[in-house]
Amino acid sequence: MRDPGVVTGVAGPAPAADRPRGLAGDAWRDLRRSRTFWIAAVLVALFLVMAAFPALFTPADPRACTLDRQYDGPSGTAFFGYDFQGCDTYARTVYGARNSITVGILATLIAGVIGLVVGLAAGYLGGWADAVLSRVVDVVLGIPFLLGAIVLARRLSQNASDDGVLAVVLTLGLLGWTTAARVVRSSVISAKNQDYVAAARMLGAGPARLMMRHILPNSVAPFIVVLTVLLGANIATEATLSFLGIGLQGDAISWGIAINESGRFVRSAAAPLVWPSVFLALTVLAVIMLGDAIRDAFDPKLR
Amino acid sequence: MTEIRAETDVLPGVDRAAPLLEVTDLHVEFRTRYGVAHAVNGVNFRVSPGETLAILGESGCGKSVTAQAVMGILDSPPGHVTGGEVRYRGLDLLPLPEEQRRRVRANRIAMIFQDALSALNPVYTVGFQLGELFRVHRGMSRRDARKRAVELLDQVQIPLAKARIGDYPHQFSGGMRQRVMIAMALALDPEVLIADEPTTALDVTVQAQIMGLLAEQQRQRNMGLILITHDMGVVADVADRIAVMYAGKVVEEAPVHDIYARPAHPYTRALLESIPRLDHKGGQLNVIRGLPPALDAIPAGCPFHPRCDYAQDACRHDPPPPYAVAPGRTARCHFWREVVGDE
Amino acid sequence: MFRYILRRLLQMVLTFFGATFIVYALMFANQDDPVQALAGDRPITDSQRQILTERYHLDEPFLQQYRYYMEGLLTGDFGTSLTGRRISDMMADAWPVTIKLALLAIVIAATVAITAGVVSGIRRAGTFDNVTLVLTLVILCLPIVVLAPLARLVFGVQLGWFPPTAGRDASWWALLLPAIVLGSLVVATQLRVTRSAVAENLRADYVRTARAKGLSGRRVIGVHVLRNSLIPVVTLVGVDIGNLMSGAIVTEGVFNIPGVGFNLFRGITTEDGPLVVGFVSILVIVFLVVNLVVDLLYAALDPRIRYA
């Protein structure tokens, strides 16, 4: 039982002992060597640029639609042809990145902040605070995510006259923090019970110093991983809500809306359904791959 | 116990007159992505019915791997047996097809492990795990198997065996769990029992009970017992012979009294001197300097030479063969005469 | 065992009231005009307004409203949709086809996930494992709004292998493609969990013991490793049901399957507030009950929990 473990343990290559390296340094070194990481990072960067400067990718105006061109094939820079309203499918797909990614990032930030605060409070304070906060997490998890989002998005967008971005951001942010909170809570609790933290406390370190120096760094890696996964999920859920008609509203350009509308006319033209789908899937794929790569780098045990 | 043993008696090549278990020049290596670790490098030993052989060594010396190779339960990959023979009654087990090999396990050679809590399956009752042996190897019905399981628990002195047969491993105390393990190993009346650190995870008082139980069962059944341990104290009382392992080799093999009285290998000698003794109270304990070698970088010549007080030039180049110190006694040391002669 | 069940039951009661309260509060609390909120943008007659006000006790204090709503839920009275149909009747119509779809999806997903997961776990880092890992990553990253329409387009419309829509009395065959789409929502996670559980359990000491007992490889895997590896997979089922519900809304919408998800989808698009509230409440209850059952099942599978 012991021996094989000992064998692999001692058989490892001697570490290049130039200078001591922390977990973050090790993780970064591993990341740089990971092919998955680079593919994901390039894709993510591409979509970020697309969201920020869509005009770099297409000179066309996504809102310039004329029914004359309904279902026309590809021409000029309209690489994917035109949809049933005569809009340039490629241009609309490119411009769709902005809403998806904005919603995804903002919602993830909100969820991350709530999750961090709740998790730290529950884990550090323990006792009653922990019991109450953990029950709150249970209750929120008791509502299937999309069902809760349907009700909340519906409510938040009721009086809104805008394109619904804020409503969707709030919906996803207010419902999505539970996993982050659980992860932070458990890593805080495990850090709190470490001998070195107990030692620091006995040496007179105050709560603030304990939190900043000893407990928070411990939670960073799992927290980042959860947030990346959440970002992917948020982008997908935004599309789903928009698809269902309770996400982005009106004439907002969104992959979800495009998929819904073009889905009804697939027999006439498939491209307006296929391309937004592909872009959406690639974005989610890139983000989740990034999360996978980061998790692998931070947690060598999983490999 | 008169049971049908047809399935193993048809093992071709078994010779009742041959030695019970004989391991010759066994080699095992682990191929990992960091390189090859030579865990076992030519181990020889032999066990007869009723005899207790203790295999002694520090962790990482290859004693557990040797046991697993004999049983044929090495994790492979990364573990590979690269040479040698494991003869049971004259039949070399290593080249046997898995189907025949597995019929030897538990039927002829059984094994008990160090930590009974993790070695027992947490989600099945002990009754199931014991009865499984009879159902698989003897084709018994669930009911008969259960009855035999109760008998076995009785034999290893578990109180209220009948009531506890439906309990799960975590409901037993550490000592009781180890008794369950022993019952499981004895179930099919094996001729050889390999006990890998059977008492290391237990309290000292319980250790003595478990060793007592093992010794008693061995006497009753006239089994060959291979006791793997790092604890010289455990060995002295129960073993007939001792094989000391270092860096994947048996460096000294001798009857238990000879080894305690006059070790013939510097490593054995150092091990003995590092045991705290009541009659030496106040004196200084000798600690072996240095560390055991990494198994992917075993020193040339005698693997012990960097830590050895007797080491000379020859030790750095020529690996010592097993010198015959006395009849039935070997030591892999060029200077065994000096070691034995020293007081 | 008894204490475990009791604790879980108490937790569930708490979660149940909390979750329904949140859903209800989101719908009705602090509305300027709750009646209009129920009806969405559509014009509303005075008589409709009166019926809705009475029905939801909108003229009474909020907590009182919630009490009536809970009474309704617990006595099986889920209200009436704006089209005038009773929600319980609509549910009775919708459940059979949804259950059929969900069962098919679960069976397909579990079969694929457990078989492939076990094989992957045994032959880790082999070709099969690597291919499976890539495939599950791709499936994990395909949102249902991408998967359902594309699957319908490719296999239903273009290749014509499956019927592109399934109607009211859909046959198992017509439900197969939607079920595969729905099952793919949960198959990837199940497979990955099975794989890592098998890989981990294979290294466990009790597997070594099982081999030392001279059991065949098949029995070691099938009896000793599998049972231990299924425990984490079973705990996933609770989460899976939530995913399946979300997925069913889109899948049934895309394939025109008149089940629970389809009705909810239509309720959302036609802004039928009472329908949405009623359906969501019922689904939340189903979700909670399934999760309780899963917890009990977990205890049955893992004796360490049972006696804790």
Side-chain angles (χ1 to χ4, degrees):
Chain A
M1 264 149 279
R2 285 279 156 71
D3 298 1
V6 171
V7 170
T8 47
V10 294
D18 41 2
R19 63 193 166 87
R21 217 177 354 225
L23 180 63
D26 274 343
W28 173 234
R29 193 194 50 183
D30 279 356
L31 267 186
R32 275 184 316 193
R33 286 211 225 113
S34 152
R35 199 161 25 135
T36 321
F37 170 73
W38 284 112
I39 298 175
V42 166
L43 271 176
V44 168
L46 183 72
F47 281 113
L48 282 178
V49 174
M50 191 181 289
F53 312 104
L56 285 178
F57 292 81
T58 172
D61 177 357
R63 293 179 199 281
C65 310
T66 60
L67 281 175
D68 301 346
R69 291 195 297 230
Q70 189 183 41
Y71 302 139
D72 277 2
S75 65
T77 58
F79 305 117
F80 304 156
Y82 294 86
D83 65 11
F84 77 110
Q85 284 179 323
C87 306
D88 176 344
T89 300
Y90 173 67
R92 283 190 83 85
T93 306
V94 166
Y95 275 83
R98 173 172 293 179
N99 276 331
S100 271
I101 287 171
T102 316
V103 169
I105 290 178
L106 289 180
T108 307
L109 285 180
I110 293 179
V113 170
I114 301 178
L116 188 64
V117 170
V118 172
L120 284 179
Y124 190 76
L125 300 175
W128 266 102
D130 184 24
V132 170
L133 289 172
S134 295
R135 287 294 84 74
V136 171
V137 171
D138 281 351
V139 167
V140 176
L141 282 174
I143 308 170
F145 191 81
L146 190 62
L147 294 181
I150 285 171
V151 176
L152 184 53
R154 204 174 165 279
R155 171 71 198 272
L156 290 173
S157 61
Q158 241 150 42
N159 309 317
S161 50
D162 62 351
D163 52 7
V165 169
L166 186 66
V168 179
V169 165
L170 286 177
T171 301
L172 298 179
L174 291 177
L175 290 175
W177 51 272
T178 45
T179 321
R182 281 193 166 175
V183 166
V184 172
R185 171 181 175 273
S186 63
S187 57
V188 166
I189 288 177
S190 75
K192 215 168 61 167
N193 295 332
Q194 297 282 324
D195 291 343
Y196 69 85
V197 175
R201 187 182 297 127
M202 272 184 274
L203 290 173
R209 184 179 165 78
L210 274 180
M211 193 67 107
M212 295 309 294
R213 292 274 317 175
H214 297 291
I215 294 179
L216 266 183
N218 222 298
S219 322
V220 167
F223 185 61
I224 290 176
V225 172
V226 167
L227 287 196
T228 347
V229 173
L230 188 63
L231 176 58
N234 278 338
I235 291 173
T237 311
E238 180 276 318
T240 308
L241 288 175
S242 300
F243 174 90
L244 293 175
I246 40 178
L248 304 187
Q249 304 288 324
D251 60 349
I253 299 176
S254 147
W255 291 333
I257 295 176
I259 292 170
N260 182 2
E261 287 178 345
S262 57
R264 283 179 257 153
F265 306 102
V266 277
R267 284 177 198 278
S268 310
L273 168 63
V274 171
W275 288 107
S277 305
V278 169
F279 274 52
L280 172 59
L282 274 182
T283 312
V284 178
L285 179 77
V287 172
I288 291 186
M289 268 166 67
L290 196 64
D292 262 15
I294 295 176
R295 189 201 53 210
D296 286 351
F298 271 109
D299 194 350
K301 273 179 302 191
L302 289 175
R303 268 174 291 177
Chain B
M1 269 165 257
T2 53
E3 266 147 9
I4 311 146
R5 275 196 159 176
E7 61 170 3
T8 49
D9 280 339
V10 297
L11 267 179
V14 168
D15 172 10
R16 285 273 142 208
L20 179 56
L21 184 73
E22 192 172 25
V23 173
T24 341
D25 199 29
L26 185 69
H27 284 78
V28 180
E29 59 186 41
F30 286 86
R31 299 173 193 149
T32 69
R33 44 187 201 134
Y34 304 111
V36 177
H38 302 275
V40 177
N41 307 300
V43 160
N44 300 291
F45 61 79
R46 178 196 271 212
V47 193
S48 316
E51 184 190 34
T52 301
L53 169 74
I55 299 183
L56 192 77
E58 293 167 282
S59 55
C61 71
K63 53 193 195 300
S64 289
V65 177
T66 304
Q68 286 165 26
V70 170
M71 284 300 286
I73 56 168
L74 213 53
D75 283 328
S76 175
H80 300 271
V81 176
T82 50
E85 289 178 348
V86 175
R87 289 193 181 274
Y88 157 75
R89 296 275 184 213
L91 170 68
D92 187 5
L93 300 177
L94 293 179
L96 282 189
E98 170 62 20
E99 192 50 32
Q100 285 184 39
R101 187 89 195 263
R102 87 179 170 78
R103 285 166 203 272
V104 176
R105 286 178 213 140
N107 274 301
R108 297 305 166 91
I109 309 177
M111 184 159 174
I112 59 183
F113 297 92
Q114 182 181 129
D115 179 5
L117 181 59
S118 61
L120 291 168
N121 194 327
V123 302
Y124 290 108
T125 63
V126 298
F128 176 91
Q129 296 185 58
L130 274 165
E132 191 180 25
L133 284 160
F134 298 110
R135 294 202 287 129
V136 170
H137 289 280
R138 299 280 186 270
M140 282 191 196
S141 68
R142 261 170 206 276
R143 213 206 198 148
D144 292 346
R146 194 186 158 86
K147 215 153 70 194
R148 291 301 315 273
V150 175
E151 288 171 24
L152 272 167
L153 289 189
D154 255 340
Q155 280 176 32
V156 294
Q157 295 145 35
I158 290 183
L160 301 170
K162 202 162 194 161
R164 304 221 61 183
I165 198 86
D167 283 355
Y168 292 88
H170 70 272
Q171 292 170 286
F172 288 82
S173 69
M176 286 299 147
R177 266 197 299 265
Q178 197 55 278
R179 285 174 194 267
V180 173
M181 274 275 16
I182 293 173
M184 226 152 80
L186 297 177
L188 302 180
D189 286 320
E191 292 169 86
V192 182
L193 180 63
I194 305 177
D196 187 357
E197 306 262 10
T199 59
T200 309
L202 303 174
D203 289 344
V204 182
T205 47
V206 184
Q207 280 186 7
Q209 293 169 12
I210 294 292
M211 287 313 300
L213 175 67
L214 272 178
E216 178 195 322
Q217 292 290 332
Q218 182 203 15
R219 214 177 314 115
Q220 280 177 16
R221 294 160 188 262
N222 199 30
M223 287 184 303
L225 176 64
I226 299 177
L227 184 66
I228 294 172
T229 181
H230 64 269
D231 186 347
M232 294 206 89
V234 168
V235 168
D237 302 331
V238 291
D240 299 312
R241 278 183 312 122
I242 295 187
V244 180
M245 277 188 76
Y246 187 81
K249 280 193 168 100
V250 174
V251 290
E252 177 167 8
E253 193 190 342
V256 66
H257 300 297
D258 297 352
I259 233 172
Y260 276 87
R262 293 192 157 238
H265 193 283
Y267 178 62
T268 318
R269 192 185 172 89
L271 279 181
L272 284 171
E273 282 171 355
S274 62
I275 305 176
R277 283 167 50 172
L278 282 176
D279 49 338
H280 280 218
K281 208 168 163 189
Q284 203 166 15
L285 267 184
N286 275 319
V287 178
I288 313 177
R289 62 189 156 91
L291 290 169
L295 295 178
D296 61 341
I298 296 174
C302 170
F304 189 62
H305 82 254
R307 305 171 72 186
C308 184
D309 293 330
Y310 297 85
Q312 296 187 19
D313 257 1
C315 303
R316 284 179 257 284
H317 310 295
D318 307 326
Y323 293 104
V325 175
R329 182 162 186 204
T330 60
R332 283 180 185 267
C333 177
H334 296 306
F335 305 101
W336 63 269
R337 282 171 218 279
E338 280 123 274
V339 182
V340 174
D342 268 357
E343 264 314 313
Chain C
M1 181 66 170
F2 179 72
R3 276 182 54 194
Y4 173 78
I5 295 180
L6 196 70
R7 203 174 64 225
R8 293 298 305 150
L9 271 175
L10 282 176
Q11 271 176 10
M12 186 188 124
V13 168
L14 189 76
T15 315
F16 173 73
F17 282 104
T20 49
F21 185 80
I22 289 180
V23 170
Y24 193 77
L26 288 177
M27 287 301 297
F28 293 106
N30 280 326
Q31 290 278 12
D32 298 332
D33 184 356
V35 179
Q36 194 64 54
L38 275 172
D41 290 336
R42 75 173 81 187
I44 196 165
T45 64
D46 279 346
S47 65
Q48 270 180 320
R49 179 172 286 273
Q50 202 186 339
I51 292 170
L52 282 174
T53 308
E54 262 175 43
R55 159 72 207 157
Y56 289 98
H57 307 277
L58 295 175
D59 43 359
E60 294 187 44
F62 178 72
L63 281 176
Q64 197 69 14
Q65 292 173 27
Y66 174 67
R67 200 171 69 84
Y68 284 119
Y69 161 76
M70 285 309 295
E71 275 176 12
L73 281 189
L74 294 174
T75 53
D77 174 11
F78 305 108
T80 311
S81 91
L82 287 184
T83 56
R85 288 196 67 197
R86 285 162 52 83
I87 304 242
S88 44
D89 291 347
M90 300 177 76
M91 274 286 175
D93 277 355
W95 271 120
V97 65
T98 296
I99 289 176
K100 213 167 153 185
L101 177 70
L103 272 184
L104 198 55
I106 290 172
V107 168
I108 293 172
T111 314
V112 173
I114 292 175
T115 334
V118 168
V119 176
S120 271
I122 295 171
R123 305 195 191 294
R124 234 149 58 105
T127 315
F128 182 86
D129 184 34
N130 286 332
V131 171
T132 322
L133 270 189
V134 172
L135 274 182
T136 51
L137 180 65
V138 170
I139 292 172
L140 269 181
C141 299
L142 282 176
I144 187 78
V145 285
V146 169
L147 203 58
L150 281 189
R152 176 169 173 269
L153 169 67
V154 174
F155 300 107
V157 177
Q158 289 183 340
L159 295 173
W161 292 354
F162 299 94
T165 56
R168 174 160 297 278
D169 299 306
S171 62
W172 289 104
W173 168 243
L175 288 177
L176 188 55
L177 181 59
I180 294 173
V181 167
L182 197 53
S184 73
L185 272 181
V186 293
V187 76
T189 325
Q190 283 183 357
L191 197 158
R192 287 187 163 196
V193 170
T194 311
R195 168 187 179 270
S196 57
V198 166
E200 192 186 314
N201 283 316
L202 273 177
R203 285 193 301 248
D205 286 349
Y206 65 79
V207 169
R208 204 186 293 266
T209 312
R211 284 162 64 204
K213 281 160 82 177
L215 307 181
S216 63
R218 182 181 283 187
R219 190 174 169 94
V220 171
I221 305 263
V223 174
H224 287 269
V225 173
L226 197 60
R227 170 80 178 268
N228 280 280
S229 303
L230 283 185
I231 292 170
V233 181
V234 166
T235 56
L236 264 189
V237 171
V239 186
D240 285 349
I241 291 293
N243 285 333
L244 287 178
M245 283 177 177
S246 309
I249 300 172
V250 176
T251 312
E252 292 187 351
V254 168
F255 288 94
N256 261 315
I257 302 165
V260 175
F262 179 81
N263 276 289
L264 187 51
F265 187 10
R266 207 176 44 189
I268 295 165
T269 33
T270 57
E271 308 210 346
D272 190 333
L275 191 156
V276 174
V277 178
F279 270 63
V280 168
S281 309
I282 294 168
L283 287 179
V284 168
I285 295 172
V286 171
F287 179 67
L288 291 174
V289 171
V290 169
N291 270 286
L292 182 73
V293 172
V294 166
D295 278 345
L296 300 184
L297 203 62
Y298 182 39
L301 274 176
D302 192 340
R304 283 163 297 183
I305 300 286
R306 211 181 307 162
Y307 295 98

